[in-house]
Amino acid sequence: MKRLILMRHAKSSWEDNLADFDRPLNRRGLRDAPRIAAALSSLGWCPDVVIHSAALRTTQTWQLMAEYFPDVREVLSTKSLYHGNPSDIQAATALLPGECQTSLFIGHNPGWELAVHQLSNQNERMTTANAALFEIDAEDWHNLFQHSSRATLIRVLRPKELDD
């Protein structure tokens, strides 16, 4: 059994005249990323490997979460997840070592909502800092999206639903 966490980056700022790729987190994003990390950790959903988009807001999201996951073996940043869709996420699973049991992918919409739908056949809004938790009935990460019947959506963590 594998576990996959698909998380959308925390809330970003639109204040500066920056390229989309270079937008930082805003105050809410700075607050929500560690809250989701704490919730994941308390549920025992601690990733072995993290793969995130190379955009600033996803990088910052992970940096704020990292202290909750001291046993992460590897963190990878890739531009392929910047406009990522389910096929880009599937391609990135090739970077996961075979012994990886729990992976965390941090990226962007609309790709993350599409991926959640494709894996679960449910329409879940993936607003900022939402994390969809999946159990995958498989021994490896190959063909994850081609055999989505093996994926079970356990829950979606949302910052607004967490206790403070």
Side-chain angles (χ1 to χ4, degrees), residues 65-107:
M65 298 174 72
E67 71 179 273
Y68 292 90
F69 306 114
D71 296 329
V72 166
R73 294 184 203 143
E74 190 170 7
V75 177
L76 303 165
S77 175
T78 176
K79 287 186 177 181
S80 69
L81 295 181
Y82 176 56
H83 290 296
N85 58 43
S87 63
D88 296 314
I89 297 168
Q90 179 64 62
T93 65
L95 303 172
L96 296 172
E99 67 274 5
C100 176
Q101 293 301 306
T102 303
S103 63
L104 168 61
F105 283 77
I106 307 172

Short mmCIF file of all heavy atoms in Angstrom, two decimals, residues 65-107:
data_model
loop_
_atom_site.label_atom_id
_atom_site.label_comp_id
_atom_site.label_asym_id
_atom_site.label_seq_id
_atom_site.Cartn_x
_atom_site.Cartn_y
_atom_site.Cartn_z
N MET A 65 6.79 23.77 5.92
CA MET A 65 6.30 22.47 6.37
C MET A 65 7.42 21.56 6.86
O MET A 65 7.19 20.65 7.66
CB MET A 65 5.55 21.77 5.23
CG MET A 65 4.33 22.50 4.74
SD MET A 65 3.59 21.70 3.29
CE MET A 65 2.86 20.24 4.04
N ALA A 66 8.62 21.78 6.37
CA ALA A 66 9.73 20.83 6.54
C ALA A 66 10.01 20.45 7.99
O ALA A 66 10.31 19.29 8.28
CB ALA A 66 10.99 21.39 5.88
N GLU A 67 9.90 21.38 8.91
CA GLU A 67 10.24 21.06 10.30
C GLU A 67 9.33 19.99 10.90
O GLU A 67 9.71 19.33 11.87
CB GLU A 67 10.22 22.32 11.16
CG GLU A 67 8.83 22.87 11.41
CD GLU A 67 8.84 24.11 12.31
OE1 GLU A 67 8.81 23.93 13.54
OE2 GLU A 67 8.90 25.22 11.76
N TYR A 68 8.15 19.80 10.33
CA TYR A 68 7.22 18.79 10.84
C TYR A 68 7.54 17.39 10.32
O TYR A 68 6.95 16.41 10.78
CB TYR A 68 5.78 19.16 10.46
CG TYR A 68 5.32 20.39 11.19
CD1 TYR A 68 5.51 21.66 10.64
CD2 TYR A 68 4.71 20.30 12.44
CE1 TYR A 68 5.11 22.80 11.32
CE2 TYR A 68 4.29 21.43 13.12
CZ TYR A 68 4.51 22.67 12.55
OH TYR A 68 4.11 23.80 13.22
N PHE A 69 8.46 17.31 9.37
CA PHE A 69 8.79 16.04 8.74
C PHE A 69 10.31 15.83 8.71
O PHE A 69 10.94 15.83 7.66
CB PHE A 69 8.23 16.00 7.32
CG PHE A 69 6.75 16.29 7.25
CD1 PHE A 69 6.29 17.43 6.61
CD2 PHE A 69 5.83 15.43 7.83
CE1 PHE A 69 4.93 17.71 6.55
CE2 PHE A 69 4.47 15.70 7.78
CZ PHE A 69 4.02 16.84 7.14
N PRO A 70 10.92 15.61 9.89
CA PRO A 70 12.38 15.49 9.94
C PRO A 70 12.93 14.24 9.26
O PRO A 70 14.13 14.20 8.97
CB PRO A 70 12.66 15.46 11.45
CG PRO A 70 11.41 14.94 12.07
CD PRO A 70 10.29 15.46 11.19
N ASP A 71 12.09 13.26 8.97
CA ASP A 71 12.58 12.01 8.38
C ASP A 71 12.44 11.94 6.87
O ASP A 71 12.63 10.87 6.28
CB ASP A 71 11.87 10.82 9.03
CG ASP A 71 12.20 10.71 10.51
OD1 ASP A 71 13.32 11.09 10.91
OD2 ASP A 71 11.31 10.25 11.28
N VAL A 72 12.09 13.06 6.23
CA VAL A 72 12.01 13.08 4.77
C VAL A 72 13.37 12.71 4.20
O VAL A 72 14.40 13.26 4.61
CB VAL A 72 11.55 14.46 4.25
CG1 VAL A 72 11.78 14.60 2.75
CG2 VAL A 72 10.09 14.69 4.57
N ARG A 73 13.38 11.76 3.28
CA ARG A 73 14.64 11.27 2.70
C ARG A 73 15.14 12.14 1.56
O ARG A 73 16.34 12.24 1.32
CB ARG A 73 14.46 9.85 2.18
CG ARG A 73 14.20 8.86 3.26
CD ARG A 73 14.12 7.46 2.67
NE ARG A 73 13.35 6.65 3.60
CZ ARG A 73 12.51 5.71 3.23
NH1 ARG A 73 12.32 5.45 1.97
NH2 ARG A 73 11.85 5.03 4.13
N GLU A 74 14.18 12.74 0.82
CA GLU A 74 14.58 13.48 -0.37
C GLU A 74 13.52 14.52 -0.70
O GLU A 74 12.33 14.28 -0.55
CB GLU A 74 14.72 12.50 -1.54
CG GLU A 74 15.37 13.07 -2.76
CD GLU A 74 15.69 11.99 -3.78
OE1 GLU A 74 15.31 10.81 -3.61
OE2 GLU A 74 16.32 12.35 -4.78
N VAL A 75 14.00 15.69 -1.14
CA VAL A 75 13.12 16.77 -1.60
C VAL A 75 13.58 17.15 -3.00
O VAL A 75 14.76 17.47 -3.20
CB VAL A 75 13.17 18.00 -0.65
CG1 VAL A 75 12.30 19.11 -1.19
CG2 VAL A 75 12.76 17.61 0.76
N LEU A 76 12.66 17.11 -3.94
CA LEU A 76 12.97 17.43 -5.33
C LEU A 76 12.10 18.59 -5.79
O LEU A 76 10.90 18.63 -5.50
CB LEU A 76 12.71 16.22 -6.22
CG LEU A 76 13.47 14.95 -5.83
CD1 LEU A 76 12.89 13.74 -6.52
CD2 LEU A 76 14.94 15.11 -6.17
N SER A 77 12.70 19.50 -6.51
CA SER A 77 11.99 20.64 -7.09
C SER A 77 12.06 20.50 -8.60
O SER A 77 13.13 20.23 -9.15
CB SER A 77 12.68 21.94 -6.63
OG SER A 77 12.11 23.04 -7.26
N THR A 78 10.91 20.69 -9.26
CA THR A 78 10.89 20.53 -10.72
C THR A 78 9.98 21.54 -11.38
O THR A 78 8.87 21.80 -10.90
CB THR A 78 10.48 19.09 -11.12
OG1 THR A 78 10.39 19.01 -12.53
CG2 THR A 78 9.15 18.69 -10.51
N LYS A 79 10.44 22.10 -12.47
CA LYS A 79 9.61 23.04 -13.24
C LYS A 79 8.45 22.32 -13.93
O LYS A 79 7.46 22.95 -14.27
CB LYS A 79 10.47 23.77 -14.27
CG LYS A 79 11.37 24.81 -13.66
CD LYS A 79 12.10 25.61 -14.73
CE LYS A 79 12.94 26.68 -14.07
NZ LYS A 79 13.65 27.49 -15.06
N SER A 80 8.56 21.01 -14.10
CA SER A 80 7.51 20.28 -14.82
C SER A 80 6.18 20.31 -14.07
O SER A 80 5.13 20.09 -14.67
CB SER A 80 7.93 18.84 -15.06
OG SER A 80 7.97 18.11 -13.85
N LEU A 81 6.19 20.59 -12.78
CA LEU A 81 4.95 20.66 -12.01
C LEU A 81 4.38 22.07 -11.94
O LEU A 81 3.32 22.27 -11.35
CB LEU A 81 5.14 20.10 -10.60
CG LEU A 81 5.47 18.61 -10.53
CD1 LEU A 81 5.62 18.18 -9.08
CD2 LEU A 81 4.44 17.77 -11.24
N TYR A 82 5.06 23.05 -12.54
CA TYR A 82 4.56 24.42 -12.50
C TYR A 82 3.20 24.55 -13.18
O TYR A 82 2.27 25.12 -12.64
CB TYR A 82 5.58 25.38 -13.11
CG TYR A 82 5.11 26.81 -13.20
CD1 TYR A 82 4.67 27.48 -12.06
CD2 TYR A 82 5.08 27.48 -14.40
CE1 TYR A 82 4.22 28.79 -12.12
CE2 TYR A 82 4.65 28.78 -14.48
CZ TYR A 82 4.22 29.43 -13.35
OH TYR A 82 3.77 30.73 -13.42
N HIS A 83 3.07 24.02 -14.36
CA HIS A 83 1.77 23.95 -15.04
C HIS A 83 1.30 22.51 -15.06
O HIS A 83 0.62 22.07 -15.98
CB HIS A 83 1.87 24.48 -16.48
CG HIS A 83 2.08 25.95 -16.56
ND1 HIS A 83 1.16 26.86 -16.12
CD2 HIS A 83 3.13 26.67 -17.02
CE1 HIS A 83 1.62 28.08 -16.30
NE2 HIS A 83 2.81 27.99 -16.84
N GLY A 84 1.65 21.79 -14.02
CA GLY A 84 1.45 20.35 -13.96
C GLY A 84 0.02 19.90 -14.07
O GLY A 84 -0.90 20.54 -13.57
N ASN A 85 -0.15 18.78 -14.74
CA ASN A 85 -1.44 18.12 -14.85
C ASN A 85 -1.23 16.67 -14.44
O ASN A 85 -0.11 16.29 -14.07
CB ASN A 85 -1.99 18.26 -16.27
CG ASN A 85 -1.06 17.68 -17.31
OD1 ASN A 85 -0.50 16.60 -17.12
ND2 ASN A 85 -0.87 18.39 -18.41
N PRO A 86 -2.25 15.84 -14.44
CA PRO A 86 -2.05 14.45 -14.00
C PRO A 86 -0.92 13.72 -14.72
O PRO A 86 -0.18 12.97 -14.08
CB PRO A 86 -3.41 13.80 -14.27
CG PRO A 86 -4.39 14.92 -14.08
CD PRO A 86 -3.69 16.13 -14.67
N SER A 87 -0.73 13.95 -16.00
CA SER A 87 0.36 13.24 -16.69
C SER A 87 1.73 13.74 -16.22
O SER A 87 2.68 12.95 -16.16
CB SER A 87 0.22 13.36 -18.22
OG SER A 87 0.33 14.70 -18.63
N ASP A 88 1.84 15.01 -15.86
CA ASP A 88 3.11 15.52 -15.32
C ASP A 88 3.38 14.95 -13.93
O ASP A 88 4.52 14.65 -13.58
CB ASP A 88 3.09 17.05 -15.26
CG ASP A 88 3.00 17.68 -16.63
OD1 ASP A 88 3.72 17.25 -17.54
OD2 ASP A 88 2.18 18.61 -16.79
N ILE A 89 2.32 14.81 -13.13
CA ILE A 89 2.48 14.21 -11.81
C ILE A 89 2.90 12.75 -11.98
O ILE A 89 3.83 12.27 -11.31
CB ILE A 89 1.18 14.32 -10.99
CG1 ILE A 89 0.84 15.79 -10.72
CG2 ILE A 89 1.32 13.56 -9.67
CD1 ILE A 89 -0.57 16.02 -10.18
N GLN A 90 2.23 12.04 -12.90
CA GLN A 90 2.60 10.64 -13.16
C GLN A 90 4.05 10.54 -13.58
O GLN A 90 4.79 9.69 -13.10
CB GLN A 90 1.70 10.02 -14.23
CG GLN A 90 2.05 8.58 -14.55
CD GLN A 90 1.85 7.64 -13.38
OE1 GLN A 90 0.76 7.48 -12.89
NE2 GLN A 90 2.93 7.03 -12.90
N ALA A 91 4.49 11.43 -14.47
CA ALA A 91 5.89 11.41 -14.92
C ALA A 91 6.84 11.64 -13.75
O ALA A 91 7.90 11.01 -13.67
CB ALA A 91 6.11 12.45 -16.02
N ALA A 92 6.46 12.51 -12.84
CA ALA A 92 7.31 12.81 -11.68
C ALA A 92 7.38 11.64 -10.71
O ALA A 92 8.35 11.54 -9.94
CB ALA A 92 6.83 14.07 -10.98
N THR A 93 6.40 10.74 -10.72
CA THR A 93 6.48 9.58 -9.83
C THR A 93 7.66 8.69 -10.18
O THR A 93 8.11 7.91 -9.34
CB THR A 93 5.18 8.74 -9.82
OG1 THR A 93 4.97 8.16 -11.11
CG2 THR A 93 3.98 9.56 -9.36
N ALA A 94 8.19 8.82 -11.40
CA ALA A 94 9.38 8.05 -11.78
C ALA A 94 10.58 8.45 -10.93
O ALA A 94 11.56 7.70 -10.83
CB ALA A 94 9.69 8.25 -13.26
N LEU A 95 10.52 9.63 -10.31
CA LEU A 95 11.61 10.09 -9.45
C LEU A 95 11.55 9.47 -8.05
O LEU A 95 12.48 9.60 -7.27
CB LEU A 95 11.56 11.62 -9.31
CG LEU A 95 11.64 12.41 -10.62
CD1 LEU A 95 11.38 13.89 -10.36
CD2 LEU A 95 13.00 12.21 -11.27
N LEU A 96 10.43 8.80 -7.74
CA LEU A 96 10.26 8.21 -6.41
C LEU A 96 11.00 6.88 -6.33
O LEU A 96 10.81 6.01 -7.18
CB LEU A 96 8.78 8.00 -6.11
CG LEU A 96 7.91 9.24 -6.04
CD1 LEU A 96 6.44 8.86 -5.94
CD2 LEU A 96 8.32 10.12 -4.85
N PRO A 97 11.81 6.71 -5.29
CA PRO A 97 12.46 5.40 -5.12
C PRO A 97 11.42 4.34 -4.77
O PRO A 97 10.37 4.64 -4.18
CB PRO A 97 13.43 5.65 -3.95
CG PRO A 97 12.95 6.86 -3.26
CD PRO A 97 12.17 7.67 -4.26
N GLY A 98 11.70 3.11 -5.11
CA GLY A 98 10.76 2.02 -4.89
C GLY A 98 10.34 1.87 -3.44
O GLY A 98 9.21 1.48 -3.16
N GLU A 99 11.25 2.18 -2.52
CA GLU A 99 10.92 2.02 -1.10
C GLU A 99 10.09 3.16 -0.53
O GLU A 99 9.68 3.12 0.62
CB GLU A 99 12.19 1.83 -0.27
CG GLU A 99 13.10 3.03 -0.20
CD GLU A 99 14.10 3.13 -1.36
OE1 GLU A 99 14.05 2.31 -2.30
OE2 GLU A 99 14.92 4.05 -1.33
N CYS A 100 9.80 4.17 -1.33
CA CYS A 100 8.98 5.29 -0.87
C CYS A 100 7.56 4.81 -0.62
O CYS A 100 6.89 4.29 -1.52
CB CYS A 100 8.97 6.42 -1.91
SG CYS A 100 7.89 7.79 -1.48
N GLN A 101 7.09 4.97 0.60
CA GLN A 101 5.73 4.56 0.96
C GLN A 101 4.75 5.72 0.92
O GLN A 101 3.59 5.53 0.58
CB GLN A 101 5.73 3.93 2.36
CG GLN A 101 6.46 2.61 2.41
CD GLN A 101 5.87 1.59 1.45
OE1 GLN A 101 4.68 1.31 1.48
NE2 GLN A 101 6.70 1.03 0.58
N THR A 102 5.22 6.92 1.29
CA THR A 102 4.35 8.11 1.31
C THR A 102 5.05 9.23 0.57
O THR A 102 6.18 9.58 0.90
CB THR A 102 4.02 8.54 2.76
OG1 THR A 102 3.41 7.46 3.45
CG2 THR A 102 3.09 9.75 2.77
N SER A 103 4.37 9.78 -0.42
CA SER A 103 4.94 10.89 -1.19
C SER A 103 4.04 12.12 -1.04
O SER A 103 2.83 12.00 -0.88
CB SER A 103 5.10 10.53 -2.66
OG SER A 103 3.84 10.26 -3.24
N LEU A 104 4.67 13.28 -1.09
CA LEU A 104 3.96 14.56 -1.05
C LEU A 104 4.32 15.33 -2.31
O LEU A 104 5.50 15.56 -2.58
CB LEU A 104 4.37 15.36 0.19
CG LEU A 104 3.97 16.84 0.26
CD1 LEU A 104 2.45 17.01 0.22
CD2 LEU A 104 4.55 17.50 1.51
N PHE A 105 3.29 15.68 -3.09
CA PHE A 105 3.47 16.51 -4.28
C PHE A 105 2.80 17.84 -4.00
O PHE A 105 1.63 17.88 -3.64
CB PHE A 105 2.80 15.86 -5.50
CG PHE A 105 3.58 14.71 -6.07
CD1 PHE A 105 3.58 13.47 -5.46
CD2 PHE A 105 4.31 14.88 -7.24
CE1 PHE A 105 4.29 12.41 -5.98
CE2 PHE A 105 5.03 13.83 -7.78
CZ PHE A 105 5.02 12.59 -7.14
N ILE A 106 3.55 18.93 -4.18
CA ILE A 106 3.01 20.28 -3.97
C ILE A 106 3.03 21.00 -5.31
O ILE A 106 4.07 21.11 -5.94
CB ILE A 106 3.83 21.07 -2.93
CG1 ILE A 106 3.97 20.28 -1.62
CG2 ILE A 106 3.16 22.43 -2.67
CD1 ILE A 106 4.93 20.92 -0.62
N GLY A 107 1.85 21.50 -5.71
CA GLY A 107 1.75 22.15 -7.00
C GLY A 107 0.60 23.12 -7.08
O GLY A 107 0.24 23.74 -6.09
#
